[in-house]
Amino acid sequence: MRALVVTAVVAEADSVATGLTPHPDDPGPESRTLPGGYLITRRDLPGIAFDVLVGGVGPAAAAAGTATALALADYELVVSAGIGGGFGPAAPLGSLVVADAIVAADLGAETPEGFIDVSALGFGRSVHLPPTELAARAAEATGALLAPVLTVSTVTGTAARAAELAARHPLAGAEAMEGFGVAEAAAAHGLPVLEIRAVSNAVGPRDRAAWRIGDALAALTAGFRVLGPVLANWGERHEHR
């Protein structure tokens, strides 16, 4: 099985690649550059090969980077991975969230009656659903919260905005900026998608001093140490259906 893991920035890609290191004596990942300037790193584990892509920040960049990689190689699974904000208290700093739904939380229209998402407007979809069994097994293996992950183009920085999102998506576990874009590209190629986020900050008033990016990146590495075999096992069973 071959899987594409899409991250926004190099630090996230490095954390994922470190988690996917097969053994302590491994010389480390080798990277190459795709057309468009996208950096991609290959990691091989028993039963599964991972290409870890630095796709860029935001849903549009993530969709473009993912689509480029998918056009150049054959994959069976796409994973959006990185750090993000957590909705407390269910997703505290340093914890992991695996998406059971990937939601475009601010794609739509503002009206006097409130926000209307793009699907209600009749212009497309606003939710992608990862394979139910795969998401559940990934969450169990990593100790993650299984919950919707919201994709936003503007990171939440106020209590009012956090309350608005929580009211519209009461089960949400995290917000990030790339998952829905990655999912759109995967869907265009007929591929399943998974999203995993490590929580670096609380969704709410912007407090840069309270962010724990290092802890979140360490959690992402630890998550991928155990996620590889889960994805390989799922892929083996999926291929023989």
Side-chain angles (χ1 to χ4, degrees):
M1 182 184 183
R2 189 173 184 183
L4 177 68
V5 182
V6 185
T7 69
V9 296
V10 171
E12 292 171 334
D14 287 347
S15 294
V16 170
T18 299
L20 295 173
T21 299
H23 51 78
D25 296 327
D26 187 89
E30 294 185 3
S31 299
R32 68 186 190 280
T33 303
L34 299 182
Y38 300 105
L39 185 69
I40 196 163
T41 301
R42 182 69 179 266
R43 294 276 66 190
D44 292 311
L45 274 69
I48 187 167
F50 291 92
D51 286 340
V52 184
L53 174 74
V54 181
V57 175
T66 304
T68 298
L70 294 179
L72 296 173
D74 292 327
Y75 296 95
E76 288 76 46
L77 174 68
V78 181
V79 182
S80 178
I83 64 176
F87 286 89
L93 301 186
S95 67
L96 295 173
V97 180
V98 169
D100 59 7
I102 301 170
V103 183
D106 57 7
L107 182 62
E110 294 286 353
T111 75
E113 291 75 34
F115 177 81
I116 302 177
D117 68 40
V118 70
S119 62
L121 292 170
F123 296 140
R125 58 193 155 200
S126 58
V127 179
H128 286 276
L129 299 177
T132 302
E133 180 191 0
L134 176 61
R137 288 183 178 274
E140 181 181 12
T142 59
L145 172 69
L146 183 64
V149 175
L150 311 185
T151 298
V152 296
S153 295
T154 301
V155 172
T156 299
T158 67
R161 172 67 169 165
E164 177 189 353
L165 287 176
R168 292 209 313 263
H169 307 282
L171 299 179
E175 73 165 23
M177 301 181 72
E178 293 80 32
F180 191 80
V182 173
E184 282 283 280
H189 285 261
L191 296 175
V193 66
L194 186 69
E195 183 170 12
I196 181 168
R197 292 286 162 183
V199 177
S200 60
N201 58 280
V203 175
R206 184 175 175 83
D207 181 5
R208 187 64 178 79
W211 290 9
R212 297 293 179 266
I213 292 177
D215 292 344
L217 291 173
L220 196 62
T221 295
F224 271 88
R225 285 199 179 106
V226 297
L227 194 58
V230 173
L231 300 185
N233 180 264
W234 179 84
E236 182 179 353
R237 290 184 291 107
H238 180 76
E239 288 171 354
H240 290 89
R241 286 179 181 176

